[in-house]
Structures are given as C-alpha cells and as structure tokens.
Amino acid sequence: MSSKERPTLGGTRIKTRKRNIAAPLDPAAFSDAVVQIYLDNAGDLELIAKSIESSDLNFSRYGDTFFEVAFTGGRTQPGTTKPDEGERHPYSIIESEPKREVILPSVIYIQKILRRRPFLIKNLENVMRRFLQSLELFEENERKKLAIFTALAFSQKLSGLPPETVFQPLLKDNLVAKGLVLSFMTDFFKEYLIDNSLDDLISILKRGKVEDNLLDFFPPTKRSNEAFSEHFSKEGLVALVEYNEKKIFEVKLKEMKSALTTQITEEADTSEVIETVKLRVRDAKLPDIEVVRVLWDVLMDAVQWSGKNQQQNANAALRQVKTWAELLNTFCTSGKLELELMYKVQMQCYEDAKLMKLFPEIVRSLYDQDVLAEDTILHWFRKGTNTKGRQTFVKALEPFVNWLEEAEEEE
C-alpha cells in the first residue's frame, strides 16, 4: 500500500446505535383502568388499594392522572378541573359528603398508596396545586370538601406533603378578592383544630410561609385586624383571634423598643423620648406594665458594659438611671408599676452574672431619683413574689432597708 492510499474497512459491518423510542403517553387508558378498579370494587377503598397494589399500571408516568381520578372520579382536561373524555366513577372525594368521617377514609387510602409509592407525592402536589389555584371552578360544597381533605391530610401527616404546596397557590389575587380563599382557610382551620392544637396549626402555617401574613387571606377591602377578629370570632375560632392579637401586640412592642433604642443611643432629649412613648402607647394601646418593662430593657441594653470591671459596670448603670430618671418617673405612676420595675431589675441582675452584685445599688439609685417609693421597696423586701435570686437580693438589700426603717421611725 502506497503512502497516498487510504485504508478501507472492506467486508466489515458497522453497527448503528438504535434510538430509544419512548412509548406514547396514553393517560386516557390509564384513567379508564383505574376507574374500572373503583367500579369493580364498588368504591371500597380497602379493596381498591389492594387491587391497585397488585396491578401493573404505570404510576410513574401517570401519577397526576391517578390523583385526578381519586379527587374527581376521572381524568380532567389539561390545566383545568373540567372532566375530560373517558370513564368515570362516583366514589371520588369531590362526590362524597362534606363531612370529615366520610372524607377521612380517602386520606388514609392515599396514605397507603404513598407509602408503597412515595414518588407519587410530587404528583399529589401537582394536582392539589392545580385544584387550589382553580378554586373558582368548584362549587361551594366542593371547595369545602377540598378544605376538609387538606386539613385531614395534615392532621394525619400525609407522607411528605409540604404546607407551602397548599398555601402559596391560594394567594392568587382573583381568588382572594372573591373571598374564596378566606372561606377555604376558615373551613381548613375549623377542621384541623378538631384534632390538633393551635401550636400545631401555627407550625404548619410557618412551614407554609404564611404565618406572618394571615391577613393576606382576606379580600383587600376587608384586610384589617378588626375584620380578622370579627370574622374568626363569629366562626368560633377564638384561639386564633387571641393568637393574632398577641402577635400584633408583640410587633407593636418591638417597634416601640426599636424606636426608643434609636433615640436613647443618639441621646435624644428626654422630653422627646417621653412623647415618643406616649404616642406609641396611645396608638398601640399598650398596657402600662409592658411599657415599664420595655423602658428598663432599652435603658440597660444601651449601657456600655465592661467585661470584668465591676466598678465601671456599677457607675455605668447608675449613670443611666440618673440620666433617664425623668423618663422612668413619667411612666411608673403607681405602686404596682414601681413594683414591676423592681421585679425587672431583680430578673436582670439574676440572669446577668456581671450585674448580680449591683441590685442594691440600682435600687438605691432609683429611690434617690424618686422613681421608687419607700413603700414599694419595703413591700418587695417583705412580700415579694418573684423567687429568682430573691434570697441573695434580700440579704444584699437588708442594710438599705434597715436604714429606711430607722429613718421612718425617727420621723
């Protein structure tokens, strides 16, 4: 062979790789087969589950279709909840009565299917998301059945169903504006709380990323805390109303604390800080006791504490008390509030090791600045009810109390 001739593969067969040809999807045939299982077993979910388990149906390809059949009795048209062509059965969730005892067997049935085929949870998510995004296409009693199913699914801890899948699709503007979402969530709350605590419900709402936005379920024209309380009180969900009121209170308290922290850090004029507190108290209707607690927390948080130097800590604390005595005086307007302030000082000194020995000095300073009255200090000393560190603090305060009692006798 010369150097210019090219080698050939004469007589050699070259094999070509065959392409994988996927079988065409046939959801209609799958749907009809599942429907027939329902019909053959006359809606007995125990028998249906066994028949499905022993079948060779391709659930990995037609998972969405399976849940469409379970929920509506047959296949639905792509992207809608409308029935598609093909066989149907009358034993679906949508065709059942809107009662928990009727719908619960369907939840347990789906739980069994998911335990055998856990990959189907994604298909359940897909179908529930589609149905919830299309609530307006269902009748009122059908929406109630979906709400009961959803509540029971979470109550029974249906395998891996994420709350976010359920709640986020509901927040479509048109559904919210029509009041459909509020109605659905009300049914959901009422049903779920039959077997579960409010803490369990809040946990689910947190995982669904809606716990801080419950008002978003209300139509824009009714989106107020007053409307929230009125609606859920009327529905018998008083615990939810109380939870929401507590949450509002905590937010307003946090906002006041943040505003005061800024002013005190920037050494604003005392009169300006007092006006800020009065404005916040009036707008948020904050209880006097909470105001006193917040004031002390903010004042002490603003102190530049020394790591080890006890005398520096004492000087810093006493300087802060003296600087803001007028602020404390303005809102410690009764013996009850003064006693609450003493309990706050007691708890802070008990919980913070570097302040443990400062309790008597702080109390003495508050007395000197006319924030605490003699009667308040004596009452705390003799009848105080907070036991945290009390024995230690009573002993430390005893010399000052003796002095007060001696001065009282001389008068």
Side-chain angles (χ1 to χ4, degrees):
M1 181 184 300
S2 68
S3 60
K4 294 183 180 181
E5 290 180 349
R6 295 182 177 179
T8 61
L9 297 175
T12 302
R13 294 185 63 184
I14 301 176
K15 294 182 179 181
T16 58
R17 181 179 296 176
K18 293 182 179 179
R19 288 180 296 170
N20 292 326
I21 301 175
L25 289 172
D26 189 6
F30 176 88
S31 174
D32 290 345
V34 175
V35 168
Q36 194 59 49
I37 291 175
Y38 273 83
L39 295 174
D40 290 344
N41 292 282
D44 187 321
L45 295 176
E46 287 280 350
L47 298 176
I48 292 169
K50 290 178 181 178
S51 297
I52 286 176
E53 181 57 35
S54 60
S55 73
D56 58 357
L57 294 173
N58 191 345
F59 285 89
S60 62
R61 300 192 78 186
Y62 305 112
D64 283 17
T65 303
F66 169 73
F67 287 112
E68 290 172 5
V69 173
F71 275 97
T72 68
R75 199 158 60 98
T76 60
Q77 294 179 14
T80 73
T81 62
K82 296 179 180 179
D84 206 344
E85 297 178 356
E87 300 294 327
R88 307 191 74 77
H89 71 83
Y91 309 110
S92 67
I93 295 168
I94 290 299
E95 293 295 326
S96 64
E97 291 184 78
K99 297 178 181 178
R100 70 192 323 265
E101 62 270 21
V102 176
I103 295 175
L104 181 57
S106 294
V107 177
I108 295 172
Y109 157 71
I110 290 177
Q111 179 75 290
K112 289 179 180 178
I113 300 297
L114 290 174
R115 283 172 181 165
R116 294 287 187 177
R117 296 179 171 86
F119 61 87
L120 284 176
I121 190 64
K122 288 296 180 185
N123 302 104
L124 176 59
E125 288 181 43
N126 294 340
V127 172
M128 288 193 69
R129 185 183 296 111
R130 175 150 46 93
F131 285 173
L132 295 176
Q133 286 176 332
S134 308
L135 278 182
E136 74 272 23
L137 302 179
F138 291 97
E139 300 294 329
E140 182 179 354
N141 71 325
E142 293 174 341
R143 291 193 291 269
K144 184 170 185 177
K145 294 168 193 175
L146 287 175
I148 293 173
F149 173 87
T150 305
L152 290 173
F154 286 123
S155 185
Q156 295 292 316
K157 297 179 173 55
L158 195 65
S159 302
L161 183 64
E164 192 173 353
T165 296
V166 173
F167 299 129
Q168 291 300 322
L170 289 169
L171 296 174
K172 288 178 64 177
D173 291 344
N174 64 317
L175 298 180
V176 173
K178 293 176 182 177
L180 300 180
V181 176
L182 179 58
S183 177
F184 179 92
M185 292 304 300
T186 301
D187 289 333
F188 172 85
F189 290 151
K190 291 167 75 172
E191 190 62 41
Y192 184 81
L193 288 172
I194 291 175
D195 292 329
N196 302 274
S197 69
L198 182 66
D199 288 341
D200 293 329
L201 175 61
I202 300 307
S203 176
I204 285 178
L205 295 175
K206 283 182 179 178
R207 284 157 48 208
K209 300 180 181 179
V210 294
E211 183 245 355
D212 292 328
N213 307 298
L214 295 182
L215 278 178
D216 290 350
F217 294 133
F218 282 72
T221 55
K222 299 180 180 179
R223 198 168 290 169
S224 69
N225 292 315
E226 293 75 18
F228 184 102
S229 298
E230 181 182 353
H231 173 78
F232 286 116
S233 294
K234 190 183 297 182
E235 294 293 337
L237 295 168
V238 177
L240 187 62
V241 173
E242 291 174 347
Y243 167 80
N244 190 59
E245 289 176 348
K246 181 182 177 183
K247 194 165 184 64
I248 293 168
F249 171 78
E250 289 172 348
V251 168
K252 290 180 177 179
L253 210 58
K254 187 176 180 181
E255 289 174 350
M256 185 176 84
K257 195 170 183 177
S258 176
L260 291 179
T261 298
T262 300
Q263 286 185 308
I264 288 172
T265 302
E266 294 175 353
E267 299 181 351
D269 187 75
T270 303
S271 60
E272 183 183 338
V273 179
I274 290 173
E275 284 306 310
T276 296
V277 177
K278 287 181 177 179
L279 180 64
R280 295 275 179 176
V281 169
R282 185 169 61 250
D283 291 346
K285 299 177 182 177
L286 298 173
D288 293 338
I289 282 181
E290 290 299 333
V291 174
V292 170
R293 291 170 180 166
V294 168
L295 288 178
W296 185 256
D297 284 340
V298 170
L299 291 178
M300 291 299 104
D301 286 346
V303 174
Q304 299 295 318
W305 301 107
S306 169
K308 296 180 180 179
N309 193 313
Q310 193 69 16
Q311 189 57 50
Q312 284 185 8
N313 287 333
N315 292 340
L318 301 180
R319 186 165 52 249
Q320 191 78 328
V321 168
K322 186 175 181 180
T323 301
W324 297 103
E326 184 183 351
L327 174 64
L328 292 170
N329 250 320
T330 303
F331 297 98
C332 286
T333 54
S334 68
K336 182 180 178 181
L337 295 175
E338 290 177 19
L339 187 61
E340 185 59 37
L341 178 58
M342 278 203 74
Y343 285 141
K344 273 301 288 184
V345 176
Q346 176 185 347
M347 285 302 299
Q348 186 178 29
C349 292
Y350 173 77
E351 292 172 351
D352 193 334
K354 68 176 177 288
L355 303 181
M356 180 70 79
K357 295 181 180 180
L358 297 185
F359 179 77
E361 295 183 64
I362 293 174
V363 172
R364 176 65 184 261
S365 179
L366 289 169
Y367 171 79
D368 289 341
Q369 299 300 324
D370 293 327
V371 177
L372 293 180
E374 178 181 330
D375 289 346
T376 302
I377 297 171
L378 293 177
H379 178 86
W380 178 91
F381 185 81
R382 295 165 181 164
K383 300 179 181 180
T385 56
N386 192 322
T387 59
K388 299 292 180 66
R390 176 170 172 76
Q391 190 173 357
T392 301
F393 295 139
V394 164
K395 186 175 181 180
L397 196 61
E398 190 171 4
F400 177 56
V401 169
N402 290 337
W403 178 82
L404 287 176
E405 290 174 334
E406 289 171 3
E408 187 177 22
E409 288 175 2
E410 288 176 5
E411 290 178 4

